[in-house]
C-alpha cells in the first residue's frame, strides 16, 4: 500500500513539475532567428559590437521598393510609387518613408554652413597657393558665365573661393545617395520608381516584420496591371529564414514523433507504454527550453532545431528501460529494473553532458545556448527515466511480439558472433572504420562559410541584387570605421572625426584607383574641428588678401572686390559639430554614420559605407595612413572567426572526450572494458569525418557540433552494452535497445539531412552516418572485448 | 532630367534654393513659390505684338551676349546660336569663347560646358521657374504669364534704314524675388524679329544680347528638334 502510495505521489509530482515547466515556457516563449547570436563576442569585440549595432541600424532596417511599369515612360511608375508610398506611410511598423529627397530647407542649411564657410576649405596648402588662387579665379569666372551666374555673383564677394556652393554640392550628392530625381521622386535606371522606408524594429524581429511584408504585398497587388513591384532588404530574408526554420522544426518534430510512435507501437504494442516512452523526452525539452529562456531571455531558432534532435538522445533512455523491464525484468517491478540499470543511465547521461558542457566555454552566444539546452535536456530526461517513469509503468507488462522476435533474433546473432569462427568478420568492421578514417581524415578540408547558417532563396536573392543595383546601395556588410576614445564624449568624437578625415582621403584615393566603386562618408557633412580650425587659420594668413586680390585681378576681376571673404572671419560661429546638425534636415542622415560604443572610456565610431570593393587588401594598405581606422568585411571577419571557433570547438570536444573517458574508466576500472565502451564512438566519429571528407564535404563548425552528438550517443550505446555484459538476457535486451535507439536517431536526423537549411543538413548527415556506424561498432567492440577477457 | 548618378549631369536644386537666400530674397522665399500679382492690362498694340510672337512656328538667331558686372573689369562675352521651338523649348549653343550649351524645356534648365554639366529642376524650384519663364514667355508671346510677372510698356522707335518700323518693349518685374534681382528688361526689335535684349539688374550689372540673322519663321523637323535641343554628348 505504502509502495503504491509512493508511486502515485512520485507520478503526481512529476506531472506537476511538467505542467509547471510547460506554463513557464508558454509565458516566456521568445524565439529569435537573429544571426548575430552566432557572431563573436570576444576578440575584436569593438568591431563585432559595431557589426552587431549595424545589424540593428537604419541601414539594415531600410527596405527599398522598386516599381516598374510597362514601356519606357517612367511617369506611370512614378505615379504608382506615389500610391504605394501613400498606402504604406501610415503602417505602424514604418518609421519613415520617402519617395524622393523631400523638400529642401535651404534656409536651415544656409544658417548652418554659410557663416562657417571659412571652416570648409580642404587642402588649404594647394588651394591657397598662387596657382590655386589663379585656378579659383578661373573657376569663378566660368561660374559667372553660366545661367546660374546671377546667383553666384551675389555669393562671390563674400566667398570668391565658392566654399559654400561646393559644400552644398557635397550635401546634395550625399542626401540623394547617388539616386536620380525626377519631379521630386527617386528613379533608378531611368525606369524604376523607388520608395525607401525604414522599419521601427529590427529586421530580424519576424513577429514585427511579417505584418509589414504582408502590407507591402497587398499594396503591390493593388498597383494595377502591368506594374511590377520588387524589393530589397534584410527583413524579407530574415522572415524567410525564420519561416524555413519554423517549418523545419515543425516538420522534423512532427514526423519524428509520428515515426517514433509507430516504431514503439510495433515494439511495445501498448498505447500506455508508447505515451510513457515520450514523457522523459518531453520533460527534457521543456526543462531545456525553460533554462534557456530564464538564462538568455530568448532561444534561437537553430537551438530549437538542434533541440528537436535531442529526441534521438533522450528517447534512448526510456527505450533502454522498457526493453529491460519487458524482456529481462528485475524482481520488484519497474522501480527495481530502473535501479538495476541506474548506473548505465547515469553514466550515459553524464558522458553526454560532459561532451556538451565543453561548448559552454565557447564565445558564441548561440553555441553556449546549445550547450545549456543539451545539458539540461539530457539531465532532465535521465532523472525522469530513472525516478518518474517507473512510477507510471504497470507492475506487470508483456513485451510486444515483434520485440520478442527481434530480441530472440539478436540473441542468436550474438551467440554466433561469440563463436570462434566469427572473429574475422567481427574484426572486419572496425578495420574498415579505421581505414575510412585513415584515408579520409587527412583529406579533410575545412569550410567556414557563414552562409552555412542560413539558406537563401535564389530568386529572392536575385531580386534583391537587381534592386540594390538600381539604388547603388552601399554594402551593408563592408565598412570602414574610424574609432576615437577620450576622457569625454566630445573628445572621443573629435578623435574619431580626425581619423575619419584621413579615412576620407584614403577612400578618395582608393576610388580614383578603382579599388572601390563608391563610398559615403560623414566627411561630406562635417569634418574634425581640427581640420576646420586649420581651414580658418589658413584663411587668416596675413598675406592672403593681397595674394588673392592679385590672382583674381589677373583673371579680369576688379581689385578689392572680395574683401567680404575676410570681413567676418573672426566673428563667425565656431567649428561645426555633428550635434549642430541635429535639428536640421541633415540630422537624420548624420545620425546613421555615428555610433557610440561601450568601453572603459567614452568611445565613438564614425562609419564610412562602401560599395563595390574590388581590392580589400589594397584598401587596408591605404587605411594604414589613417590611425584608428579599420576596414571591416563582415563576411571575411565571420569566416575568420568561424575558423577560429571551429578550431576552438574541436579542442573543447576533445577536452570533453577526455572527461567522458575518465568517467567511463572510473566506472569500470578496467581499461579493456572502458575502451570497449568508449572507443567505438570515437572510431565511428573518425570514420564519419573520413567518409564526409572523401565525399568532398567541407567540414565546418556545425559538423564539429554534430560530432558531439555522435560521440554522446555512441558512448551511450557502449556504456549500456558494457553494463549488460555479464548478463546474456540483459545483453540481448540492451542490444535491442541500441537498435531501436539507433533507428529513432536515424529517423530524426535523416529528416534533418533533408532540411532546406544547410546548417541542419550538416548536422543531419553527420549524426545519421555516425550513429549508424556506432550501432555496428559498439556491439562488435563489446564482443571483441569479451573475447579478450576470456 | 537626370541628376546625381556618377556618369550624368549633376542636379543643383539645393544650390539654387539655398543660394537664393544669399541673393537677398526675403525670408522664406527659397522655400515658397513666388507671390503672383494680378495681371495688368496691355495695350492693343502690345497684344498684337505678343500674339505675333505666339504665332511663330519657331525662331533661330545668332547672338552676342555681353555681361557687364561690377566684379569684372571687362565684360564676359559669349557668342553662338539660339533656337526657340513652340511650347517653351529654348536652346543656346555658345561657340565662343568656349563651347557651352544652355537648354530650357518644360521641366528643367540644363547646361553643359568644359567644366561639366548641371541640371536644375524647374518643378522643384518655383523661383527658378520664374526666372526662366521671364525670358521664355517673351519668345512664346504668352501675354497672360507676362502680365503676371511684369508691367510692360511698348514704345515705337524711329524706323531703321530699311524703313521698317521698330519698337521697344520695357518690362519691369512685379513679383518677388525677381524685384530684388532684376530692375528691368528692354527688348528692341522690328516686326517679330528681336534686335537686342538688355537685362538690367538691381545693383547696376547688366547683360546685353544682340541678335542677327534672325529667322522668325523657322520650322524644325523632328530630326532637328532632336539634334538641336539637347546637350552635347546626350542621346
Amino acid at each position: 500500500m505504502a509502495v503504491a502510495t509512493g508511486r502515485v505521489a512520485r507520478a503526481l509530482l512529476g506531472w506537476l513539475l511538467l505542467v509547471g515547466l510547460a506554463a513557464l515556457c508558454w509565458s516566456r516563449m521568445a524565439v529569435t532567428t537573429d544571426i548575430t547570436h552566432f557572431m563573436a563576442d570576444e576578440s575584436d569585440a569593438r568591431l563585432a559590437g559595431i557589426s552587431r549595432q549595424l545589424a540593428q541600424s537604419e541601414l539594415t532596417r531600410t527596405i527599398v521598393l522598386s516599381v516598374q511599369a510597362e514601356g519606357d515612360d517612367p511617369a506611370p511608375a512614378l505615379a504608382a510609387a506615389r500610391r504605394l508610398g501613400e498606402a504604406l506611410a501610415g503602417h505602424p511598423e514604418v518609421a519613415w518613408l520617402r519617395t524622393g529627397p523631400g523638400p529642401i530647407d535651404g534656409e536651415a542649411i544656409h544658417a548652418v554652413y554659410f557663416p562657417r564657410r571659412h571652416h570648409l576649405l580642404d587642402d588649404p596648402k594647394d588651394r591657397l597657393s598662387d596657382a590655386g588662387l589663379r585656378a579659383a579665379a578661373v573657376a569663378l569666372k566660368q561660374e559667372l558665365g553660366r545661367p546660374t551666374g546671377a546667383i553666384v555673383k551675389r555669393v562671390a564677394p563674400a566667398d570668391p573661393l565658392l566654399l559654400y556652393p561646393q559644400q552644398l554640392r557635397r550635401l546634395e550628392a550625399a542626401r540623394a545617395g547617388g539616386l536620380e530625381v525626377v519631379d521630386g521622386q527617386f528613379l533608378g535606371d531611368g525606369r524604376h520608381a523607388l520608395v525607401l522606408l525604414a522599419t521601427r524594429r529590427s529586421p530580424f524581429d519576424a513577429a514585427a516584420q511579417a505584418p509589414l511584408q504582408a502590407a507591402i504585398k497587398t499594396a503591390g497587388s493593388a498597383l494595377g496591371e502591368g506594374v511590377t513591384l520588387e524589393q530589397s532588404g534584410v527583413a524579407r530574408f530574415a522572415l524567410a529564414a525564420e519561416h524555413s526554420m519554423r517549418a523545419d522544426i515543425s516538420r522534423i518534430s512532427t514526423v519524428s514523433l509520428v515515426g517514433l510512435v509507430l516504431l514503439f507501437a510495433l515494439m511495445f504494442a501498448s498505447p500506455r507504454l508508447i505515451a510513457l516512452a515520450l514523457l522523459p523526452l518531453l520533460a527534457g525539452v521543456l526543462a531545456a527550453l525553460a533554462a534557456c529562456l530564464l538564462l538568455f531571455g530568448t532561444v534561437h531558432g537553430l537551438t530549437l532545431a538542434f533541440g528537436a534532435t535531442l529526441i534521438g538522445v533522450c528517447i534512448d533512455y526510456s527505450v533502454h528501460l522498457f526493453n529491460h523491464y519487458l524482456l529481462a525484468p528485475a524482481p520488484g517491478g519497474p522501480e527495481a529494473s530502473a535501479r538495476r540499470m541506474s548506473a548505465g543511465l547515469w553514466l550515459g547521461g553524464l558522458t553526454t553532458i560532459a561532451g556538451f558542457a565543453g561548448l559552454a566555454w565557447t564565445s558564441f552566444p548561440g553555441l553556449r545556448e546549445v550547450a545549456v539546452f543539451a545539458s539540461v535536456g539530457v539531465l532532465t530526461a535521465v532523472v525522469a527515466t530513472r525516478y518518474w517513469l517507473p512510477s507510471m509503468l504497470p507492475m506487470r507488462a508483456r513485451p510486444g511480439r515483434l520485440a520478442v522476435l527481434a530480441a530472440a533474433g539478436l540473441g542468436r546473432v550474438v551467440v554466433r558472433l561469440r563463436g570462434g569462427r566469427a572473429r574475422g568478420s567481427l574484426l572486419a568492421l572496425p578495420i574498415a572504420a579505421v581505414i575510412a578514417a585513415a584515408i579520409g581524415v587527412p583529406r579533410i578540408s575545412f569550410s567556414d562559410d557563414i552562409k552555412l547558417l542560413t539558406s537563401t532563396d535564389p530568386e529572392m536573392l536575385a531580386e534583391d541584387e537587381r534592386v540594390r543595383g538600381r539604388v547603388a546601395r552601399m554594402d551593408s556588410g563592408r565598412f570602414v570605421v574610424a574609432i576615437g576614445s577620450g576622457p569625454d564624449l566630445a573628445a572621443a568624437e573629435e578623435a574619431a572625426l580626425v581619423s575619419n578625415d584621413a579615412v576620407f582621403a584614403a577612400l578618395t584615393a582608393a576610388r580614383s584607383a578603382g579599388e572601390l566603386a563608391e563610398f559615403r562618408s560623414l566627411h561630406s557633412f562635417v569634418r574634425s574641428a581640427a581640420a576646420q580650425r586649420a581651414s580658418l587659420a589658413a584663411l587668416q594668413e596675413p598675406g592672403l588678401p593681397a595674394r588673392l586680390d592679385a590672382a583674381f585681378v589677373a583673371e579680369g576681376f576688379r581689385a578689392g572686390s572680395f574683401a567680404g571673404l575676410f570681413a567676418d572671419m573672426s566673428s563667425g560661429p565656431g567649428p561645426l559639430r555633428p550635434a549642430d546638425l541635429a535639428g536640421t534636415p541633415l540630422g537624420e542622415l548624420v545620425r546613421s554614420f555615428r555610433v557610440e560604443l561601450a568601453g572603459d572610456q567614452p568611445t565613438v565610431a564614425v562609419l564610412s559605407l562602401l560599395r563595390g570593393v574590388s581590392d580589400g587588401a589594397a584598401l587596408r594598405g591605404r587605411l594604414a595612413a589613417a590611425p584608428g581606422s579599420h576596414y571591416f568585411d563582415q563576411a571575411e571577419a565571420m569566416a575568420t572567426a568561424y575558423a577560429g571557433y571551429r578550431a576552438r570547438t574541436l579542442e573543447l570536444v576533445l577536452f570533453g572526450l577526455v572527461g567522458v573517458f575518465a568517467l567511463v574508466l572510473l566506472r569500470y576500472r578496467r581499461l579493456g572494458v572502458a575502451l570497449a565502451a568508449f572507443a567505438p564512438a570515437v572510431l565511428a566519429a573518425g570514420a564519419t569525418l573520413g567518409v564526409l571528407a572523401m565525399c568532398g564535404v567541407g567540414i565546418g563548425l556545425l559538423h564539429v557540433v554534430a560530432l558531439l552528438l555522435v560521440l554522446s550517443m555512441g558512448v551511450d550505446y557502449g556504456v549500456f552494452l558494457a553494463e549488460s555484459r555479464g548478463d546474456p538476457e540483459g545483453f540481448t535486451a540492451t542490444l535491442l535497445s541500441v537498435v531501436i535507439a539507433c533507428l529513432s536517431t536515424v529517423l530524426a536526423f535523416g529528416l534533418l539531412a533533408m532540411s532546406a537549411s544547410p546548417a541542419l543538413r550538416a548536422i543531419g548527415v553527420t549524426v545519421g552516418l555516425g550513429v549508424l556506424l556506432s550501432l555496428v561498432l559498439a556491439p562488435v567492440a563489446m564482443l571483441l572485448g569479451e573475447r579478450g577477457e576470456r | 532630367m537626370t541628376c546625381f548618378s556618377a556618369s550624368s549631369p549633376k542636379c543643383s536644386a539645393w544650390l539654387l534654393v539655398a543660394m537664393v537666400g544669399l541673393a537677398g530674397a526675403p525670408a522664406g522665399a527659397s522655400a515658397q513659390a513666388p507671390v503672383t500679382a494680378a495681371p495688368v492690362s496691355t495695350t492693343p498694340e502690345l497684344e498684337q505684338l505678343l500674339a505675333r510672337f505666339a504665332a511663330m512656328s519657331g525662331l533661330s538667331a545668332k547672338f552676342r551676349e555681353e555681361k557687364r558686372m561690377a566684379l569684372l573689369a571687362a565684360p564676359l562675352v559669349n557668342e553662338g546660336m539660339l533656337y526657340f521651338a513652340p511650347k517653351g523649348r529654348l536652346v543656346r549653343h555658345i561657340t565662343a569663347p568656349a563651347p557651352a550649351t544652355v537648354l530650357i524645356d518644360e521641366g528643367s534648365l540644363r547646361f553643359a560646358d568644359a567644366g561639366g554639366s548641371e541640371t536644375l529642376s524647374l518643378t522643384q524650384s518655383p523661383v527658378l521657374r520664374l526666372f526662366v519663364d521671364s525670358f521664355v514667355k517673351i519668345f512664346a508671346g504668352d501675354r497672360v504669364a507676362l502680365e503676371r510677372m511684369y508691367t510692360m510698356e511698348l514704345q515705337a522707335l524711329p524706323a531703321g534704314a530699311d524703313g521698317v518700323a521698330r519698337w521697344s518693349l520695357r518690362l519691369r518685374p512685379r513679383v518677388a524675388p525677381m524685384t530684388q534681382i532684376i530692375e528691368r528688361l528692354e527688348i528692341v526689335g522690328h516686326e517679330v524679329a528681336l534686335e537686342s535684349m538688355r537685362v538690367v539688374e538691381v545693383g547696376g550689372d547688366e547683360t546685353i544680347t544682340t541678335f542677327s540673322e534672325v529667322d522668325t519663321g523657322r520650322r524644325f523637323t523632328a530630326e532637328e528638334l532632336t539634334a538641336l535641343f539637347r546637350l552635347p554628348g546626350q542621346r
Side-chain angles (χ1 to χ4, degrees):
Chain A
M1 183 70 179
V3 169
T5 307
R7 294 186 86 214
V8 169
R10 270 201 303 280
L12 276 174
L13 179 63
W15 279 109
L16 272 172
L17 287 170
L18 193 74
V19 168
L21 283 172
L24 179 71
C25 292
W26 180 265
S27 65
R28 298 177 79 122
M29 194 61 181
V31 179
T32 178
T33 51
D34 186 348
I35 207 64
T36 59
H37 269 54
F38 288 84
M39 286 165 57
D41 62 5
E42 69 174 32
S43 82
D44 278 341
R46 286 190 307 181
L47 290 181
I50 293 168
S51 191
R52 202 174 273 112
Q53 274 177 286
L54 265 189
Q56 313 293 334
S57 73
E58 197 167 88
L59 186 67
T60 321
R61 285 186 284 113
T62 298
I63 295 175
V64 180
L65 302 173
S66 170
V67 180
Q68 180 185 351
E70 285 170 353
D72 291 332
D73 183 5
L78 290 169
R82 276 197 301 277
R83 291 198 305 276
L84 183 65
E86 284 158 14
L88 294 173
H91 193 282
E93 184 53 29
V94 172
W96 54 259
L97 183 144
R98 290 202 289 262
T99 54
I104 300 164
D105 186 349
E107 283 182 44
I109 304 304
H110 170 70
V112 167
Y113 285 102
F114 187 76
R116 293 184 173 91
R117 64 195 182 284
H118 307 100
H119 295 84
L120 299 175
L121 183 65
D122 49 10
D123 199 10
K125 193 168 165 231
D126 270 349
R127 294 202 52 193
L128 298 182
S129 64
D130 289 342
L133 290 172
R134 287 292 289 266
V138 168
L140 178 59
K141 204 167 174 188
Q142 194 170 43
E143 287 283 349
L144 291 174
R146 288 175 165 175
T148 47
I151 292 175
V152 172
K153 185 167 50 177
R154 294 186 171 258
V155 184
D159 186 12
L161 302 176
L162 300 179
L163 300 171
Y164 177 59
Q166 283 166 5
Q167 177 60 32
L168 290 179
R169 288 200 165 97
R170 282 196 284 268
L171 294 177
E172 198 163 30
R175 192 164 178 267
L179 289 173
E180 185 178 331
V181 177
V182 173
D183 291 338
Q185 280 184 254
F186 293 126
L187 191 70
D189 285 353
R191 295 182 60 198
H192 301 93
L194 303 167
V195 179
L196 276 62
L197 67 92
T199 59
R200 290 192 193 279
R201 285 171 284 185
S202 165
F204 300 104
D205 184 345
Q209 299 309 319
L212 176 60
Q213 287 295 317
I216 290 171
K217 195 172 171 185
T218 304
S221 41
L223 291 177
E225 285 288 321
V227 177
T228 35
L229 173 65
E230 292 180 306
Q231 186 181 156
S232 164
V234 173
R236 206 158 61 131
F237 288 103
L239 200 60
E242 197 261 353
H243 281 152
S244 174
M245 264 187 220
R246 281 190 190 274
D248 276 338
I249 291 163
S250 178
R251 182 169 47 83
I252 290 163
S253 307
T254 306
V255 177
S256 295
L257 276 172
V258 167
L260 276 173
V261 167
L262 281 173
L263 183 62
F264 290 173
L266 285 171
M267 287 294 144
F268 306 132
S270 161
R272 181 177 172 180
L273 289 181
I274 294 165
L276 290 175
L278 299 174
L279 284 180
L281 162 67
L282 181 62
V285 170
L286 284 174
L289 200 53
C292 283
L293 290 170
L294 285 170
L295 279 172
F296 306 116
T298 61
V299 64
H300 197 278
L302 273 178
T303 306
L304 270 185
F306 189 82
T309 69
L310 275 185
I311 291 172
V313 176
C314 296
I315 206 72
D316 297 355
Y317 306 131
S318 39
V319 165
H320 196 49
L321 172 64
F322 283 11
N323 275 330
H324 274 268
Y325 176 59
L326 296 172
L327 294 170
E335 281 81 1
S337 289
R339 248 191 322 273
R340 191 160 71 177
M341 48 173 300
S342 177
L345 262 183
W346 279 110
L347 189 58
L350 285 173
T351 51
T352 301
I353 292 168
F356 276 100
L359 284 187
W361 272 267
T362 80
S363 298
F364 274 111
L367 281 184
R368 280 203 297 271
E369 201 176 282
V370 165
V372 167
F373 194 100
S375 302
V376 172
V378 166
L379 182 63
T380 307
V382 168
V383 168
T385 306
R386 170 65 183 89
Y387 297 107
W388 185 38
L389 203 52
S391 65
M392 293 178 284
L393 284 172
M395 291 304 289
R396 285 187 193 80
R398 282 190 303 175
R401 184 164 165 73
L402 187 60
V404 172
L405 288 172
L410 283 170
R412 286 193 290 277
V413 169
V414 168
V415 164
R416 205 165 30 240
L417 288 175
R418 277 186 172 132
R421 289 184 216 160
R423 183 177 174 82
S425 56
L426 275 182
L427 279 174
L429 295 164
I431 289 171
V434 167
I435 292 170
I439 296 173
V441 167
R443 293 179 187 203
I444 283 176
S445 68
F446 292 109
S447 165
D448 299 307
D449 190 349
I450 181 67
K451 291 192 192 73
L452 276 181
L453 289 185
T454 57
S455 63
T456 316
D457 178 352
E459 276 187 28
M460 199 186 287
L461 189 62
E463 181 184 322
D464 189 83
E465 284 173 1
R466 279 198 301 275
V467 175
R468 285 170 61 86
R470 284 168 208 152
V471 299
R473 281 191 79 177
M474 297 294 113
D475 299 339
S476 62
R478 285 201 185 102
F479 52 89
V480 174
V481 58
I483 299 179
S485 300
D488 55 46
L489 210 53
E493 183 178 84
E494 173 62 11
L497 286 172
V498 166
S499 176
N500 193 57
D501 287 345
V503 167
F504 179 83
L507 293 179
T508 303
R511 183 175 54 193
S512 303
E515 289 151 18
L516 84 140
E518 193 50 79
F519 68 95
R520 298 268 176 269
S521 174
L522 183 61
H523 191 275
S524 301
F525 301 88
V526 60
R527 300 178 299 154
S528 64
Q532 293 182 63
R533 283 191 210 102
S535 164
L536 178 64
L539 288 168
Q540 287 172 328
E541 183 250 318
L544 181 61
R547 288 195 301 113
L548 186 143
D549 207 50
F552 277 71
V553 163
E555 289 301 321
F557 290 92
R558 286 190 206 276
S561 296
F562 305 110
L565 173 64
F566 305 100
D568 59 347
M569 260 197 312
S570 309
S571 59
L576 183 69
R577 298 163 307 136
D580 294 326
L581 295 171
T584 73
L586 300 174
E588 186 187 291
L589 281 169
V590 165
R591 205 173 46 233
S592 59
F593 286 102
R594 186 186 171 283
V595 176
E596 286 178 28
L597 300 177
D600 296 334
Q601 53 177 343
T603 305
V604 171
V606 172
L607 305 174
S608 296
L609 307 176
L610 312 176
R611 180 169 63 84
V613 176
S614 59
D615 193 341
L619 188 58
R620 276 200 178 87
R622 288 190 191 275
L623 290 170
S629 73
H630 304 269
Y631 168 55
F632 188 70
D633 182 331
Q634 191 172 77
E636 193 183 281
M638 289 191 76
T640 307
Y642 260 69
Y645 289 107
R646 180 204 10 93
R648 175 93 176 113
T649 304
L650 201 52
E651 284 170 23
L652 291 171
V653 166
L654 292 172
F655 179 76
L657 271 184
V658 170
V660 167
F661 184 67
L663 278 171
V664 171
L665 190 58
L666 199 65
R667 163 69 184 144
Y668 299 118
R669 300 177 197 277
R670 282 153 67 184
L671 188 65
V673 178
L675 281 174
F678 177 79
V682 175
L683 190 54
T688 302
L689 276 180
V691 168
L692 289 175
M694 283 190 282
C695 294
V697 174
I699 304 299
L701 178 63
L702 293 173
H703 292 96
V704 173
V705 172
L707 278 180
L708 258 183
L709 278 172
V710 170
L711 289 163
S712 301
M713 286 186 276
V715 169
D716 281 355
Y717 300 162
V719 163
F720 292 160
L721 288 168
E723 292 293 315
S724 309
R725 67 192 184 283
D727 171 13
E729 258 190 0
F731 190 84
T732 310
T734 300
L735 197 51
L736 183 61
S737 301
V738 168
V739 169
I740 297 173
C742 180
L743 284 175
S744 65
T745 302
V746 171
L747 174 66
F749 286 92
L751 290 167
L752 268 190
M754 291 186 284
S755 165
S757 162
L760 297 179
R761 268 205 308 275
I763 295 171
V765 166
T766 308
V767 174
L769 181 59
V771 159
L772 269 176
L773 287 172
S774 293
L775 172 65
V776 167
L777 292 171
V780 165
M782 202 53 55
L783 290 171
L784 283 172
E786 280 177 3
R787 283 170 171 270
E789 282 186 340
R790 284 201 298 267
Chain B
M1 186 193 84
T2 55
C3 311
F4 303 124
S5 53
S7 59
S8 59
K10 298 197 215 33
C11 177
S12 301
W14 260 29
L15 175 72
L16 262 301
V17 173
M19 290 173 67
V20 165
L22 286 170
S30 63
Q32 298 162 13
V35 174
T36 54
V40 174
S41 59
T42 50
T43 63
E45 293 82 5
L46 179 56
E47 276 192 36
Q48 237 179 10
L49 176 64
L50 292 175
R52 290 179 73 182
F53 274 126
M56 277 195 309
S57 58
L59 172 78
S60 70
K62 252 189 175 170
F63 71 89
R64 182 176 188 279
E65 175 191 71
E66 240 183 62
K67 291 188 173 188
R68 295 174 186 167
M69 300 179 202
L71 280 178
L72 288 166
L76 283 176
V77 177
N78 290 320
E79 292 178 343
M81 285 298 295
L82 176 148
Y83 301 97
F84 175 80
K87 307 248 171 78
R89 269 186 294 186
L90 179 70
V91 66
R92 297 193 328 159
H93 291 290
I94 298 164
T95 51
T101 301
V102 180
L103 172 64
I104 297 171
D105 60 23
E106 191 54 39
S108 65
L109 182 153
R110 288 179 271 178
F111 59 89
D113 58 22
S117 57
E118 203 132 10
T119 301
L120 308 172
S121 166
L122 301 182
T123 51
Q124 279 194 288
S125 175
V127 172
L128 180 62
R129 176 170 280 287
L130 185 66
F131 277 107
V132 165
D133 281 352
S134 64
F135 299 102
V136 172
K137 296 302 181 190
I138 294 171
F139 289 108
D142 188 338
R143 180 178 62 82
V144 172
L146 288 170
E147 282 172 353
R148 271 202 299 269
M149 294 187 287
Y150 297 105
T151 53
M152 292 183 283
E153 188 187 329
L154 183 66
Q155 283 180 337
L157 292 179
D162 52 6
V164 176
R166 294 166 68 239
W167 50 262
S168 163
L169 176 62
R170 181 173 286 197
L171 304 99
R172 287 189 189 277
R174 304 171 60 222
V175 175
M178 291 252 303
T179 47
Q180 275 102 22
I181 300 169
I182 295 178
E183 190 194 302
R184 66 182 187 276
L185 282 80
E186 294 172 354
I187 304 171
V188 173
H190 61 273
E191 293 176 344
V192 288
L194 299 183
E195 293 174 12
S196 69
M197 181 188 291
R198 182 174 174 224
V199 178
V200 181
E201 297 176 30
V202 171
D205 290 353
E206 60 181 13
T207 302
I208 299 169
T209 309
T210 51
F211 302 96
S212 59
E213 295 177 30
V214 179
D215 179 0
T216 57
R218 185 74 156 86
R219 288 185 190 277
F220 298 97
T221 63
E223 290 77 21
E224 282 175 321
L225 284 174
T226 306
L228 291 172
F229 291 89
R230 67 181 179 89
L231 295 183
Q234 185 188 30
R235 266 182 260 144

